[in-house]
Amino acid sequence: QLHTEPSAELRDLPREFFAVDPTSVCQTPNTEALYRCRKCRRALFRSSSIVSHAEGSGPTAFAHKRVTDSAQLRGDGRDKCTSYFTEPVQWMEPALLGVMEGQLLCPKCTSKLGSFSWRGEQCSCGRWVTPAFQIHKSRVDEVRTLPVGNFQTAQT
């Protein structure tokens, strides 16, 4: 019942709680990376919205799932975190209000980007992140602006 009943605290979150939607700010040259939906290219969040976490103990943190192969437990040097954990962004608001957990869908094409849980979720590196607004790295593209020559931005 706790999982299905809308929570009164989650119905009315203050506007300041949400990071600014990157599509609503003017496009100025920025050193920040922008993350877009891989399917429709809609801007979703900036690198400043990513919540960093200390790396967990990897597959050994999932012992309750009976990972027994010692080769799996050692790790192979690949990037252990397969998701970005972000602060909530304005486009997420309709999905977040009144529920404790659910899917995060692209606001333009509705493809699944990840999930959220106010109770938290475990990262693939083994670290528990609370609250969790998890976007899978395989569902987004990172876009960085590169400086071109000695051009200066026009000031108006």
Side-chain angles (χ1 to χ4, degrees), residues 64-128:
H64 65 282
K65 293 185 179 182
R66 294 188 182 105
V67 176
T68 56
D69 185 5
S70 61
Q72 286 180 308
L73 293 177
R74 274 185 258 126
D76 56 5
R78 286 185 285 148
D79 190 16
K80 289 186 177 187
C81 299
T82 58
S83 299
Y84 297 111
F85 287 88
T86 68
E87 60 187 348
V89 184
Q90 288 174 345
W91 61 264
M92 296 177 186
E93 185 175 7
L96 302 179
L97 295 180
V99 293
M100 291 299 291
E101 56 191 30
Q103 293 184 349
L104 290 175
L105 305 177
C106 175
K108 184 176 178 184
C109 69
T110 66
S111 69
K112 184 177 178 195
L113 300 171
S115 59
F116 73 93
S117 175
W118 292 101
R119 292 179 195 90
E121 292 181 356
Q122 193 169 28
C123 180
S124 58
C125 73
R127 178 66 58 185
W128 190 264

Side-chain angles (χ1 to χ4, degrees), residues 21-86:
D21 190 332
T23 59
S24 66
V25 287
C26 66
Q27 297 295 334
T28 56
N30 200 335
T31 57
E32 273 190 291
L34 178 67
Y35 295 85
R36 296 179 178 268
C37 172
R38 186 161 281 176
K39 186 173 180 184
C40 72
R41 309 293 296 148
R42 194 236 195 240
L44 299 169
F45 60 95
R46 296 197 176 277
S47 56
S48 60
S49 294
I50 295 175
V51 177
S52 62
H53 61 276
E55 191 175 290
S57 55
T60 57
F62 298 96
H64 65 282
K65 293 185 179 182
R66 294 188 182 105
V67 176
T68 56
D69 185 5
S70 61
Q72 286 180 308
L73 293 177
R74 274 185 258 126
D76 56 5
R78 286 185 285 148
D79 190 16
K80 289 186 177 187
C81 299
T82 58
S83 299
Y84 297 111
F85 287 88
T86 68

